[in-house]
C-alpha cells in the first residue's frame, strides 16, 4: 500500500434499479448459497425511479467495515453481507490512482476496511424488492472499487448470495435467473434476455397500497412454503419450466396478450402457494384484490389484455401497461376507483414515465 498513510480515501458510487419478477422465484434448494428451485424472469425498472444509490469507500484510517442504510448505521454481521464481501475480496485486483498517488495491491484488500452508504428512493422492505436493488448495487460498486475482472453474469452469482432476486438487477431490460444444476451454485446466475430498448413502449405503474414493512419476509415465507406446501413442488417442476419458455417467446415477439396472461397467472399462483403454506401467508390485502378485479374487468371488456399485474411479497400492485396511452387510462381508472382521502386510497403511485401523469390530467 503506497500513498500518504491515513490521509487517502478512495470512493465509488453506483446506482442500481430494482427489478420486478414476471415469473416468480419462490423457494430455495440451498439456503446458504441461495439456490432457487426454479428459474425466474424479471423486468428491470428505469433507474430514475425505484433505485438504490451506494457509495463504497476504502481508507487506511477506517478501523472496521461499516454500513449505513438511508442514513442509519446497520450491522454488517449477517451471513449474507459477509458472503458477498468475502467473495468480492477474494477476486479483488491491484488498484492504482496515479493522481492521488495511491497503489493498493490485491492482497491489501484483505486488511483494508470499507465504509458503505446506501440510499433507497422507495420504501424499504415493503415488498418493492428493495433488497434486490440494494445487494446488486453493493456488489457492483465494490466490484468497481476493487477492480474485479468478472462480467455482470459472474457478479450476479455473488449478488445472489446477498439476496436471490438481486442477481437479476445486474442487467437492465428483461432478465432470466437460471437456477443452475451445480451444488456449488457456480451456474446459478442471471443473463439478459433483451435489453431496455427492446420493448420500450411498456409502462410500469406501481400502486403503493401500503408503504409499511411487510410482516413475513420473503426469506422466511419461502422457507415455510418449501417445508409445508403441497403445491410448491408442482409449481416448480411442472408449471414454471413451461412458463419460462413461453415467457421468453412472448418477450422476444413483444406479444403483450401472452406476456400479460403469463405474468398475471404466475403472480396469482405465487400467492396461491403462499395461501397453501402452513400457517398461511397473506401478502395481498383487500385493496390488492380490488386492483386485480379492476384490471381483469377492463381486460375482459376490451377483449384483449391492456394491462398486466403482478404482486411480490407485499400488497403493492405492479402494473404493466401495453403502451403510454393505456398507462394514462389506467391511472385515470385507479384514481377514480381509489380516490385520495377515501378508505381505499393508495399511499402513492410510482410510475415508469413522469409525463404519463400530465397526460392523465
Ligand atoms: C416474491 O430475493 O427477497 O419478490 O433470496 O431470501 O433474499 P431472498 O428472497 P428475495 O425474494 C424475492 C421473492 C419475490 C419474487 C421474485 O422477485 O422473483
Amino acid at each position: 500500500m503506497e500513498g500518504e498513510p491515513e490521509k487517502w480515501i478512495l470512493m465509488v458510487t453506483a446506482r442500481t434499479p430494482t427489478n420486478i419478477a414476471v415469473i416468480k422465484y419462490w423457494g430455495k434448494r440451498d439456503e446458504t448459497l441461495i439456490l432457487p428451485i426454479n428459474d425466474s424472469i424479471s423486468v428491470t425498472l428505469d433507474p430514475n425511479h425505484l433505485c438504490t444509490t451506494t457509495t463504497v469507500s476504502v481508507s487506511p484510517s477506517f478501523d472496521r467495515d461499516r454500513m449505513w442504510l438511508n442514513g442509519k448505521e446497520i450491522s454488517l454481521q449477517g451471513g449474507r453481507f459477509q458472503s458477498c464481501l468475502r467473495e468480492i475480496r477474494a477476486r479483488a485486483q491491484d488498484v492504482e490512482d496515479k493522481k492521488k498517488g495511491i497503489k493498493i495491491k490485491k492482497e491489501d484488500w484483505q486488511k483494508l476496511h470499507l465504509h458503505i452508504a446506501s440510499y433507497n428512493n422507495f420504501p424499504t422492505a415493503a415488498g418493492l424488492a428493495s433488497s434486490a436493488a440494494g445487494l446488486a448495487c453493493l456488489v457492483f460498486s465494490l466490484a468497481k472499487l476493487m477492480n474485479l475482472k468478472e462480467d455482470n453474469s459472474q457478479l450476479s452469482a455473488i449478488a445472489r448470495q446477498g439476496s436471490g432476486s438481486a442477481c437479476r438487477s445486474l442487467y437492465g431490460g428483461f432478465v432470466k435467473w437460471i437456477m443452475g444444476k451445480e451444488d456449488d451454485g457456480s451456474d446459478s446466475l442471471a443473463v439478459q434476455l433483451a435489453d431496455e430498448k427492446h420493448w420500450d413502449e411498456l409502462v410500469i405503474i406501481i400502486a403503493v397500497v401500503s408503504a409499511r414493512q411487510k410482516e413475513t419476509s420473503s426469506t422466511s415465507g419461502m422457507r415455510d412454503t418449501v417445508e409445508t406446501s403441497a403445491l410448491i413442488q408442482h409449481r416448480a417442476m411442472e408449471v414454471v419450466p413451461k412458463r419460462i419458455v413461453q415467457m421468453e417467446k412472448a418477450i422476444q415477439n413483444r406479444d403483450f396478450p401472452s406476456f400479460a396472461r403469463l405474468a398475471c397467472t404466475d403472480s396469482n399462483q405465487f400467492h396461491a402457494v403462499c395461501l397453501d403454506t402452513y400457517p398461511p401467508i397473506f401478502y395481498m390485502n383487500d385493496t390488492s384484490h380490488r386492483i386485480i378485479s379492476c384490471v381483469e374487468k377492463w381486460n375482459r371488456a376490451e377483449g384483449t389484455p391492456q394491462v398486466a399485474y403482478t404482486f411480490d411479497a407485499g400488497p403493492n400492485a405492479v402494473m404493466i401497461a401495453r403502451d403510454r396511452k393505456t398507462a394514462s387510462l389506467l391511472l385515470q381508472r385507479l384514481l377514480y376507483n381509489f380516490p385520495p382521502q377515501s378508505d381505499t386510497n393508495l399511499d402513492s403511485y410510482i410510475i415508469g414515465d413522469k409525463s404519463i401523469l400530465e397526460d392523465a390530467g
Side-chain angles (χ1 to χ4, degrees):
M1 233 173 315
E2 288 170 20
E4 230 181 309
E6 311 299 320
K7 292 237 168 106
W8 60 264
I9 180 163
L10 208 59
M11 271 188 214
V12 167
T13 297
R15 196 170 57 149
T16 309
T18 194
N19 71 78
I20 303 291
V22 287
I23 301 290
K24 307 286 185 200
Y25 144 56
W26 196 251
K28 299 181 182 71
R29 62 182 200 277
D30 184 313
E31 290 256 347
T32 314
L33 289 171
I34 309 197
L35 301 177
I37 56 172
N38 58 259
D39 292 346
S40 54
I41 293 180
S42 60
V43 53
T44 300
L45 301 189
D46 180 332
N48 292 316
H49 296 281
L50 278 75
C51 71
T52 300
T53 305
T54 299
T55 298
V56 289
S57 52
V58 61
S59 166
S61 61
F62 296 164
D63 59 356
R64 62 199 153 99
D65 291 339
R66 296 176 73 183
M67 177 162 182
W68 292 261
L69 177 61
N70 298 327
K72 221 175 123 195
E73 185 157 11
I74 59 164
S75 164
L76 266 170
Q77 288 320 307
R80 290 170 166 212
F81 275 126
Q82 291 304 326
S83 303
C84 290
L85 290 178
R86 191 183 53 244
E87 295 290 321
I88 294 169
R89 279 193 168 112
R91 293 166 176 79
Q93 301 293 323
D94 295 351
V95 171
E96 188 170 5
D97 186 325
K98 283 202 176 119
K99 262 201 228 142
K100 290 186 178 168
I102 302 168
K103 212 169 169 184
I104 305 173
K105 290 211 175 327
K106 53 173 146 184
E107 52 279 10
D108 296 338
W109 287 110
Q110 303 297 333
K111 296 176 292 205
L112 283 165
H113 293 290
L114 302 160
H115 282 186
I116 302 162
S118 212
Y119 285 90
N120 289 332
N121 67 349
F122 58 96
T124 301
L128 286 175
S130 54
S131 64
L135 268 303
C137 201
L138 176 76
V139 167
F140 186 79
S141 49
L142 286 175
K144 291 286 160 231
L145 181 74
M146 299 188 197
N147 197 19
L148 263 64
K149 297 277 176 275
E150 278 68 16
D151 63 19
N152 279 9
S153 235
Q154 290 160 317
L155 292 182
S156 79
I158 302 178
R160 188 202 74 227
Q161 298 177 53
S163 179
S165 53
C167 74
R168 298 184 309 237
S169 270
L170 265 301
Y171 290 103
F174 291 92
V175 184
K176 176 177 169 181
W177 174 11
I178 302 169
M179 63 181 279
K181 290 192 178 71
E182 301 297 335
D183 287 343
D184 66 359
S186 52
D187 58 350
S188 184
L189 37 79
V191 292
Q192 189 180 52
L193 295 176
D195 70 14
E196 16 315 63
K197 289 189 214 81
H198 170 72
W199 201 352
D200 61 358
E201 54 268 43
L202 296 182
V203 179
I204 297 183
I205 293 183
I206 298 177
V208 181
V209 172
S210 164
R212 275 190 311 148
Q213 192 138 342
K214 60 196 173 199
E215 278 166 29
T216 311
S217 73
S218 307
T219 307
S220 70
M222 65 177 87
R223 184 184 304 132
D224 291 349
T225 300
V226 170
E227 279 170 12
T228 64
S229 165
L231 293 182
I232 189 70
Q233 283 308 323
H234 173 67
R235 166 172 167 76
M237 313 283 281
E238 304 294 330
V239 181
V240 174
K242 290 191 193 106
R243 283 189 182 156
I244 290 280
V245 175
Q246 292 164 349
M247 183 56 101
E248 283 192 54
K249 214 164 121 201
I251 291 168
Q252 219 165 46
N253 299 333
R254 292 188 281 261
D255 169 359
F256 191 79
S258 304
F259 173 83
R261 172 125 197 160
L262 287 163
C264 297
T265 50
D266 200 70
S267 169
N268 294 339
Q269 189 181 64
F270 154 52
H271 290 278
V273 297
C274 288
L275 200 60
D276 188 49
T277 300
Y278 196 78
I281 310 165
F282 308 106
Y283 285 127
M284 293 195 285
N285 63 18
D286 286 352
T287 308
S288 320
H289 291 142
R290 284 193 57 207
I291 292 175
I292 293 181
S293 300
C294 178
V295 172
E296 288 289 358
K297 257 190 224 149
W298 184 15
N299 283 344
R300 217 171 318 127
E302 293 291 328
T304 179
Q306 304 298 305
V307 173
Y309 56 81
T310 184
F311 294 74
D312 278 340
N316 302 319
V318 176
M319 286 159 282
I320 307 174
R322 63 182 312 153
D323 52 31
R324 287 169 53 83
K325 195 170 151 241
T326 311
S328 152
L329 290 172
L330 172 63
L331 263 184
Q332 288 176 18
R333 276 169 195 255
L334 288 170
L335 288 167
Y336 177 79
N337 286 298
F338 304 92
Q341 277 133 30
S342 72
D343 289 351
T344 55
N345 74 326
L346 304 168
D347 275 5
S348 57
Y349 298 101
I350 299 166
I351 53 174
D353 185 337
K354 207 155 77 41
S355 55
I356 298 293
L357 252 190
E358 287 143 26
D359 291 356

